Amino acid sequence: MPNSSIDIINVIESKLKDKVQIQKGQLSTAAITVSNGLHRDVIQAMVDADPYTAISAITGLDLGASLGVYYHVRTSNAFLTIKAEVPKENPKIQTITDITPSGVFHELEVSDLFGVAFEGNPLPGHFVLPETWPQGIYPLRKDVNANEVKLDPPLEEEKKPSEGKLVKIIIGPQHPALLEPEKFAVTVDGETVTKVEPRIGYVHRGIEKASESRTYLQDIYLVERICGICTTIHAADFCETVEKLLKAEVPQRAKYLRVIALELNRLHSHFLTLGHAGLEIGYETLFQYFWRDREPIMDLIELTSGSRVYPSIMTIGGVRRDLKDTDLPKIKTTLIELRKKLPFYRQVYENEPSLRARMKNVGILKREDALKLGVVGPVARGSGVDIDVRKDEPYEAYSEIPFKEIVYQDGDTWARMNVRMDEVEESINIIEYALDHLPAGPFRVKVPRVVPPGEAVNRVEAPRGELFCYIKSNGTAMPERVKVRTPTYANIPSFLKTAIGENIADVPPNFVSLDPCFSCTDR
Amino acid sequence: MADTKTWARVKSPWVLHFNSGSCNGCDIEIVSLLTPKYDVERFGVKLEPSPRHADVLLVTGAVTKQCEERLKRVYDQMPQPKFVVAIGACACSGGVFNGCYNVVGGVDKVIPVTAYIPGCAPRPEALMDGVVKLLNALSPPKPKKQAKQEKLVEAPKEEVKPPDAPILEVPTTPILQDAKSIIEETKPDAKQ
């Protein structure tokens, strides 16, 4: 947890007292309403005062006559939302990328889905939607029926990609190193990478729009399917946000059961990545070992919820299934067995020469850059940035459970993987503590079906980092807007920076150390 | 020669995995098939990175509009005869994403599909069962070894089904039952 005593609201009030409207306690710490242009001044003031300031997400909103652009900014000890509005006929707003580079990708998404032009954003063109998507149709606006959109004819094949002596290597969309379809054009000079151009959107399904035409209860299962790896955390994030809207309190037992489900999810996700990294550096034995030991965790997920991949255990007001006392011994023995295997893996990750040779000093992300780019999760913690939502803004029962926040200072691929290695042990500790201190009582409460009008934001710590959710309710059975910003979306800019100047052969281990998940990224 | 080819294809199918906009759930289950607990390599199944070397295309996901062209291209690059297996509810019909603006909704709207494996996500056992069923459909049902000697004269020759047949009927063959019993053994519940 960043040790800081900056009162960011005081800073903003002292600088821009009469120009902005500050509502304390709204949307986490505060909501600040600004007129067009002033959002830059507010963010500039925050960046000057607090080095931890980064754009967590930018939400686009269709407000009828105008479009809302909400900047969700996190600082070392606060989370603020800056609300700006632009007219629908001429949606133009000045970019903030020159103040903080963490906003680049977020701006691109809003401009693609809502048609807001960010003046000065360096990257033009479609980013999330297909290249053949017709100009002038923005699917997340309320008056657009995006299902009837006819795509333009396919573009011609990319021309001979070489530029002088530089060669462009296209990685993806179908590539053995990528499990998911995504394209990266890597320009190399000899064997040195000089430029990386990402093209995401191959997995963009339009979940945010789809959730507007489903009820809150149905949305849990839709949001869960944003990603098949960190599925529980997506559902938990959504449920917590709706509970904030409902002002419902979850029973104590449900909080602990949620923690157990979330940490099991983190365990299986970290095992998956630690093994996948082995595969990427050509160390297949390690991959097989990790995935062999991942299976008992999958069995535990199945035991506690009924399904391997989609536990669907979260619901609004608690969890759907209680933990049986007869299952406890099985869970505990599995965890003890798992813990016995960890020293071996730690030994491999810390000392194995072939692994160190491929990971040490590869893809170094300096602390200043990590702060500037606004990376989250193990990528940030591997670079010495001590942010973890479980500590910074404890949710569920995390405030009652003791655990360590893992931070490495090296900033290379090796450090990022070792953060995960250490977190595996912490997760086992958390589950064991939660099982030992499981309170009695109900595991869910009845909540009202109708969600009152309002808006709420929520953050949780997914296996890959901070996961952000924003929900606006209009009092009907369906939400007005659901926005999810996933950790990989915030982490990709760091890869674009660290890959430059590296050997082309170091691209896969560097990339996998972000634990990229594109179905999360694209939604 | 045709028999030898079929024999080789059935005994060691090389599969290519293509994610057409899936949530990763099915994909991770496919990868876990290769790992020690399930280990499909003992059936000769090999995950192949290049479409030009693959016999079977495993497609997951509801096919996003961005991926549609690419899926067609991957399919075209595969040599004949080729088979497509749609894995998961999304690949079969669009699943939970049916009706989303950037989703075509089902693999069979883009390329012909040979076998469907439903489920969200299908268990690894279901995936194995699906692939084994597909392989059995490729080769004529073989009698058991003992039965083979007795019925050698009488056994009528069954034609090899054309590989492009849309959805193949699945005969219950001894091979299938063997595979099923192996699957049963690997299930964690079976031991208890």
Side-chain angles (χ1 to χ4, degrees), chain A residues 147 202 204 228 302 308 310, chain B residues 23 29 64 66 99 101-102 123:
Chain A
N147 288 30
Y202 284 86
H204 179 65
E302 192 176 354
R308 272 168 65 89
Y310 282 112
Chain B
C23 70
E29 293 295 73
T64 58
Q66 175 90 326
Y101 61 83
N102 201 26
R123 293 183 59 87

Side-chain angles (χ1 to χ4, degrees), chain A residues 265-310:
Chain A
N265 197 232
R266 191 183 314 279
L267 266 182
H268 106 77
S269 174
H270 278 357
F271 262 73
L272 186 149
T273 315
L274 290 165
H276 188 207
L279 192 68
E280 295 295 322
I281 61 166
Y283 190 173
E284 201 171 327
T285 319
L286 189 67
F287 162 70
Q288 300 281 5
Y289 270 37
F290 267 112
W291 280 61
R292 180 196 66 193
D293 291 335
R294 179 176 163 267
E295 285 300 328
I297 307 169
M298 300 305 277
D299 290 344
L300 285 191
I301 295 176
E302 192 176 354
L303 182 78
T304 52
S305 68
S307 171
R308 272 168 65 89
V309 175
Y310 282 112

Side-chain angles (χ1 to χ4, degrees), chain A residues 239-251:
Chain A
C239 291
E240 279 178 30
T241 321
V242 177
E243 281 153 14
K244 276 188 182 174
L245 283 169
L246 288 165
K247 297 188 175 62
E249 183 66 27
V250 177

